[in-house]
Amino acid sequence: MNTYISSVINGVKQKYAHQPEFCQTVEEVLSSLEPVVERHPEYEKVDLLGRMVEPERMFTFRVVWEDDNGNWHTNTGYRCQFNGAIGPYKGGIRFQKNVNPSIMKFLGFEQTFKNSLTGLPIGGGKGGSDFDPTGRSDSEIMRFCQSFMQALYRYIGPDTDVPAGDMGVGGREIGYLFGEYRRLKGKFENGVLTGKGFSYGGSLIRPEATGYGAVYYLENVLKDDGQDIKGKTIACAGFGNVTWGICRKAVELGAKVVTLSGPDGYVYDPAGVCTPEKIDFLVAMRASGRNKVKDYADKFGVEFHEGEKPWGVKVDICMPSAMQNDVHLEEAKKIAANNVRYYIEVANMPTTNEALRFLMEQPDMIVAPSKAVNAGGVATSALEMSQNSERLVWTAEEVDNQLHNIMNTIYKNSVDAAMRNDLGYNLVAGANIAGFERVADAMMQQGVF
Ligand code: GLU
């Protein structure tokens, strides 16, 4: 491997050995960049890669909140403003008990490349808290969000840093966060957050966008492979907003999602999560705060596999859409043994590097990376920002058309970037390279800092 790339990867692994997810993403992305870095020896002189793996700014803050019994709790809040070279920092907020600096940095790093790939003017950021929303009442969630924003509001803004939702943060939380921001600032700056409710500046199609975008990307893959999406079976993981969007778009195009998963196990519904009743139930299940996918099996009388993951189910397409490191080598081997041809990552970094390498080595398998596949969510957030700054509202059709075009372009740019660099049809390396080139170019033009 190129010596500059390997020295940066090794440096990160030594310095941040206690941040495994961050080391993992740095290794995965940087090792794809060999042909580009070889062509640009000037990058080493200004330590471009060394600067890219260090967040521009990252901070923690104290979040104190009162539960319904009058007891007070203290959590850690985070915001990682990873790279602002091509636009204001942009990326979601995650509320989950395992949130830590490694998870924040891995997500912020991935976001930088993903946002660049959209072609829109958004830098990379991420935030969150180790707060666990499971089983918390609506008032508790509101108080937590208000306290979180009291600490964060000074450091964000429509041209500075624009947070959005992620795991544990949906429309309800964004509403409470926005309300508190407005109260503190005394201004209606709705461009400060995306994923807002439609009544106060949200964009139509934003809730569906990540799932729809993933299916639009999948359609590109299938088309280039001479296949039709109609009649295909899909294994999904998770049962949140992203999976919901995939289910809806898949049904519309004649495909079906047959698995869902949660922390308690997975469900197998051979008839597919197809009817409006089933799809709506996902929303209710998520809103209940119980975080149990077994509720779906109980309601619709389908198989529930306690404590297991859905990756052993025979399907045409796997779309891991739950969370990071869901698919290890063991699961990857099951997927390959089932002759699955399309492995389309959806959640951020759902595959360990070892499993990803294994899957990419399978001669008959096509692997697509999450930073391209799930980019429709943040891309539609950028469309929400445009509407906010124009003080306009676009129709659902306008937003959906733009999303569709953006996904087609992301796919095409990834394919082209790999081809240009003699890597063949490699969607993983292509996405990394295409995302990297734009940020690298902007950083080179802006001077060294
Ligand atoms: N959390 C989502 C992501 O990972 C959305 C971010 C956004 O809309 O800013 O891309």
Side-chain angles (χ1 to χ4, degrees), residues 90-92 111 114 126 164-166 194 206 348 377-378 381:
K90 179 88 198 84
Q111 196 85 41
K114 176 196 328 197
K126 205 80 190 191
D166 197 82
T194 61
R206 177 63 190 88
N348 294 309
V378 75
S381 277

PDB file of all heavy atoms in Angstrom, residues 90-92 111 114 126 164-166 194 206 348 377-378 381, ligand 1:
ATOM      1  N   LYS A  90     -22.989  19.152   8.764  1.00  0.00           N
ATOM      2  CA  LYS A  90     -24.347  18.622   8.619  1.00  0.00           C
ATOM      3  C   LYS A  90     -24.335  17.160   8.997  1.00  0.00           C
ATOM      4  O   LYS A  90     -23.504  16.386   8.513  1.00  0.00           O
ATOM      5  CB  LYS A  90     -24.793  18.772   7.139  1.00  0.00           C
ATOM      6  CG  LYS A  90     -26.181  18.236   6.881  1.00  0.00           C
ATOM      7  CD  LYS A  90     -27.232  19.281   7.123  1.00  0.00           C
ATOM      8  CE  LYS A  90     -28.624  18.718   7.294  1.00  0.00           C
ATOM      9  NZ  LYS A  90     -28.927  18.254   8.687  1.00  0.00           N
ATOM     10  N   GLY A  91     -25.239  16.774   9.865  1.00  0.00           N
ATOM     11  CA  GLY A  91     -25.331  15.363  10.244  1.00  0.00           C
ATOM     12  C   GLY A  91     -26.209  15.218  11.462  1.00  0.00           C
ATOM     13  O   GLY A  91     -26.504  16.195  12.163  1.00  0.00           O
ATOM     14  N   GLY A  92     -26.645  13.999  11.690  1.00  0.00           N
ATOM     15  CA  GLY A  92     -27.675  13.758  12.692  1.00  0.00           C
ATOM     16  C   GLY A  92     -27.189  13.769  14.128  1.00  0.00           C
ATOM     17  O   GLY A  92     -26.000  13.882  14.429  1.00  0.00           O
ATOM     18  N   GLN A 111     -19.847  10.698   7.493  1.00  0.00           N
ATOM     19  CA  GLN A 111     -20.771  11.742   7.031  1.00  0.00           C
ATOM     20  C   GLN A 111     -20.075  12.714   6.080  1.00  0.00           C
ATOM     21  O   GLN A 111     -20.669  13.188   5.115  1.00  0.00           O
ATOM     22  CB  GLN A 111     -21.321  12.495   8.247  1.00  0.00           C
ATOM     23  CG  GLN A 111     -22.554  13.322   7.976  1.00  0.00           C
ATOM     24  CD  GLN A 111     -23.838  12.515   8.068  1.00  0.00           C
ATOM     25  OE1 GLN A 111     -23.981  11.692   8.961  1.00  0.00           O
ATOM     26  NE2 GLN A 111     -24.760  12.730   7.157  1.00  0.00           N
ATOM     27  N   LYS A 114     -19.986  11.005   2.719  1.00  0.00           N
ATOM     28  CA  LYS A 114     -21.355  10.845   2.233  1.00  0.00           C
ATOM     29  C   LYS A 114     -21.911  12.171   1.735  1.00  0.00           C
ATOM     30  O   LYS A 114     -22.450  12.259   0.640  1.00  0.00           O
ATOM     31  CB  LYS A 114     -22.218  10.319   3.386  1.00  0.00           C
ATOM     32  CG  LYS A 114     -23.671  10.197   3.048  1.00  0.00           C
ATOM     33  CD  LYS A 114     -24.618  10.045   4.250  1.00  0.00           C
ATOM     34  CE  LYS A 114     -24.078   9.332   5.437  1.00  0.00           C
ATOM     35  NZ  LYS A 114     -25.158   8.895   6.364  1.00  0.00           N
ATOM     36  N   LYS A 126     -21.626  15.248  13.282  1.00  0.00           N
ATOM     37  CA  LYS A 126     -22.489  14.268  13.961  1.00  0.00           C
ATOM     38  C   LYS A 126     -22.573  14.648  15.422  1.00  0.00           C
ATOM     39  O   LYS A 126     -21.671  15.306  15.950  1.00  0.00           O
ATOM     40  CB  LYS A 126     -21.887  12.863  13.853  1.00  0.00           C
ATOM     41  CG  LYS A 126     -22.915  11.766  13.971  1.00  0.00           C
ATOM     42  CD  LYS A 126     -23.633  11.570  12.648  1.00  0.00           C
ATOM     43  CE  LYS A 126     -24.828  10.665  12.759  1.00  0.00           C
ATOM     44  NZ  LYS A 126     -25.323  10.295  11.423  1.00  0.00           N
ATOM     45  N   ALA A 164     -29.620  17.075  12.609  1.00  0.00           N
ATOM     46  CA  ALA A 164     -30.865  16.430  12.167  1.00  0.00           C
ATOM     47  C   ALA A 164     -31.073  15.211  13.064  1.00  0.00           C
ATOM     48  O   ALA A 164     -30.432  15.072  14.102  1.00  0.00           O
ATOM     49  CB  ALA A 164     -30.731  16.005  10.707  1.00  0.00           C
ATOM     50  N   GLY A 165     -31.945  14.308  12.650  1.00  0.00           N
ATOM     51  CA  GLY A 165     -32.183  13.100  13.435  1.00  0.00           C
ATOM     52  C   GLY A 165     -31.213  11.986  13.097  1.00  0.00           C
ATOM     53  O   GLY A 165     -30.479  12.044  12.112  1.00  0.00           O
ATOM     54  N   ASP A 166     -31.199  10.994  13.928  1.00  0.00           N
ATOM     55  CA  ASP A 166     -30.481   9.741  13.693  1.00  0.00           C
ATOM     56  C   ASP A 166     -31.158   8.737  14.635  1.00  0.00           C
ATOM     57  O   ASP A 166     -32.296   8.972  15.066  1.00  0.00           O
ATOM     58  CB  ASP A 166     -28.977   9.906  13.980  1.00  0.00           C
ATOM     59  CG  ASP A 166     -28.136   8.785  13.359  1.00  0.00           C
ATOM     60  OD1 ASP A 166     -27.827   8.866  12.167  1.00  0.00           O
ATOM     61  OD2 ASP A 166     -27.814   7.808  14.067  1.00  0.00           O
ATOM     62  N   THR A 194     -32.799  20.021  10.452  1.00  0.00           N
ATOM     63  CA  THR A 194     -33.642  19.422   9.404  1.00  0.00           C
ATOM     64  C   THR A 194     -34.345  18.193   9.971  1.00  0.00           C
ATOM     65  O   THR A 194     -34.002  17.705  11.046  1.00  0.00           O
ATOM     66  CB  THR A 194     -32.841  19.047   8.143  1.00  0.00           C
ATOM     67  OG1 THR A 194     -31.844  18.087   8.517  1.00  0.00           O
ATOM     68  CG2 THR A 194     -32.185  20.259   7.510  1.00  0.00           C
ATOM     69  N   ARG A 206     -38.995  14.117   3.375  1.00  0.00           N
ATOM     70  CA  ARG A 206     -37.813  13.894   4.221  1.00  0.00           C
ATOM     71  C   ARG A 206     -37.950  12.613   5.058  1.00  0.00           C
ATOM     72  O   ARG A 206     -36.986  11.841   5.143  1.00  0.00           O
ATOM     73  CB  ARG A 206     -37.508  15.116   5.121  1.00  0.00           C
ATOM     74  CG  ARG A 206     -36.307  14.901   6.098  1.00  0.00           C
ATOM     75  CD  ARG A 206     -35.018  14.680   5.340  1.00  0.00           C
ATOM     76  NE  ARG A 206     -33.874  14.247   6.136  1.00  0.00           N
ATOM     77  CZ  ARG A 206     -33.552  12.990   6.419  1.00  0.00           C
ATOM     78  NH1 ARG A 206     -34.327  11.995   5.996  1.00  0.00           N
ATOM     79  NH2 ARG A 206     -32.465  12.703   7.088  1.00  0.00           N
ATOM     80  N   ASN A 348     -25.210   3.090   8.725  1.00  0.00           N
ATOM     81  CA  ASN A 348     -23.813   3.521   8.643  1.00  0.00           C
ATOM     82  C   ASN A 348     -22.886   2.401   9.121  1.00  0.00           C
ATOM     83  O   ASN A 348     -23.053   1.905  10.239  1.00  0.00           O
ATOM     84  CB  ASN A 348     -23.608   4.781   9.490  1.00  0.00           C
ATOM     85  CG  ASN A 348     -24.368   5.969   8.920  1.00  0.00           C
ATOM     86  OD1 ASN A 348     -24.260   6.276   7.733  1.00  0.00           O
ATOM     87  ND2 ASN A 348     -25.167   6.624   9.744  1.00  0.00           N
ATOM     88  N   GLY A 377     -31.071  10.510   2.552  1.00  0.00           N
ATOM     89  CA  GLY A 377     -31.607  11.164   3.750  1.00  0.00           C
ATOM     90  C   GLY A 377     -30.998  12.539   3.922  1.00  0.00           C
ATOM     91  O   GLY A 377     -31.704  13.563   3.949  1.00  0.00           O
ATOM     92  N   VAL A 378     -29.689  12.563   3.978  1.00  0.00           N
ATOM     93  CA  VAL A 378     -29.038  13.861   4.199  1.00  0.00           C
ATOM     94  C   VAL A 378     -29.186  14.767   2.974  1.00  0.00           C
ATOM     95  O   VAL A 378     -29.281  15.986   3.096  1.00  0.00           O
ATOM     96  CB  VAL A 378     -27.561  13.671   4.640  1.00  0.00           C
ATOM     97  CG1 VAL A 378     -26.672  13.265   3.480  1.00  0.00           C
ATOM     98  CG2 VAL A 378     -27.040  14.921   5.307  1.00  0.00           C
ATOM     99  N   SER A 381     -32.280  16.444   3.396  1.00  0.00           N
ATOM    100  CA  SER A 381     -32.090  17.479   4.417  1.00  0.00           C
ATOM    101  C   SER A 381     -31.529  18.750   3.775  1.00  0.00           C
ATOM    102  O   SER A 381     -31.921  19.864   4.132  1.00  0.00           O
ATOM    103  CB  SER A 381     -31.095  17.000   5.488  1.00  0.00           C
ATOM    104  OG  SER A 381     -31.745  16.204   6.444  1.00  0.00           O
TER     105      SER A 381
HETATM  106  N1  GLU B   1     -28.572  10.798  10.345  1.00  0.00           N
HETATM  107  C1  GLU B   1     -28.735  10.783   8.932  1.00  0.00           C
HETATM  108  C2  GLU B   1     -27.441  10.352   8.281  1.00  0.00           C
HETATM  109  O1  GLU B   1     -26.740   9.549   8.821  1.00  0.00           O
HETATM  110  C3  GLU B   1     -29.298  12.087   8.395  1.00  0.00           C
HETATM  111  C4  GLU B   1     -28.420  13.292   8.617  1.00  0.00           C
HETATM  112  C5  GLU B   1     -29.024  14.582   8.157  1.00  0.00           C
HETATM  113  O2  GLU B   1     -30.106  14.584   7.567  1.00  0.00           O
HETATM  114  O3  GLU B   1     -28.381  15.614   8.404  1.00  0.00           O
HETATM  115  O4  GLU B   1     -27.070  10.740   7.194  1.00  0.00           O
END
